[in-house]
Amino acid sequence: MTDASPSFRRTALLLSGAGALPFIGLVIAMAILEAPTNSTAGLWLQTYAAVILSFLGGIRWGTAIAAPSSSPLPLAISVLPALAGWAMLPLAIILQPGPNWYLGYALAFALQLAWDWRSAAVPAWFKPIRLGVSLVVISSLIGAWAVQTYLF
């Protein structure tokens, strides 16, 4: 695998950081908006979390098909982030609404980060970017839990 150019790395950093901005903005919206708009911001946050988990799983799918192994396991488990995100969404909205689902999403992002951090398939230069953005995302989701628990 060739190393990424400084321009490529900078672009990855900017796009990754930009992808974290909706997490921050939606938590702020949950905290400052009146009902029912604050709940709508929470729904958007959960939906965005599911989308980004799907995106992260797609990255793992891409790394699995770029370097096929004799085992189909990496390909099979690459769909787990998307399945987790989308499984939590209807549960959180329809069956059992409440703030704890934000913690579930935070856990999913933490598990994804741990998986990426330990993986040789993720380039070493990208791991610090993933760490920083993931900490922002996880903190935002915990913040959403706190907002819904204590301010709603």
Side-chain angles (χ1 to χ4, degrees):
M1 179 182 299
T2 60
D3 201 20
S5 71
S7 173
F8 189 88
R9 290 179 187 204
R10 194 170 32 259
T11 302
L13 174 63
L14 290 172
L15 292 172
S16 296
L21 292 177
F23 286 96
I24 298 166
L26 289 167
V27 172
I28 292 170
M30 288 174 64
I32 65 173
L33 295 173
E34 298 292 326
T37 310
N38 58 356
S39 293
T40 301
L43 170 63
W44 290 351
L45 177 61
Q46 290 179 23
T47 303
Y48 188 66
V51 167
I52 297 303
L53 283 170
S54 296
F55 179 80
L56 294 173
I59 292 172
R60 297 311 299 242
W61 176 278
T63 61
I65 63 172
S69 68
S70 59
S71 170
L73 187 60
L75 194 60
I77 62 175
S78 71
V79 300
L80 292 180
L83 293 175
W86 288 105
M88 282 190 280
L89 196 56
L91 293 173
I93 296 167
I94 300 167
L95 296 179
Q96 188 68 35
N100 291 338
W101 291 105
Y102 296 109
L103 298 179
Y105 278 108
L107 177 62
F109 277 96
L111 291 171
Q112 180 70 42
L113 173 62
W115 182 23
D116 287 346
W117 193 263
R118 296 187 49 158
S119 173
V122 176
W125 64 265
F126 190 61
K127 291 180 181 186
I129 295 172
R130 283 280 292 120
L131 176 63
V133 172
S134 293
L135 291 176
V136 169
V137 168
I138 292 165
S139 297
S140 295
L141 291 163
I142 293 170
W145 169 82
V147 165
Q148 191 170 0
T149 300
Y150 299 109
L151 295 182
F152 275 28

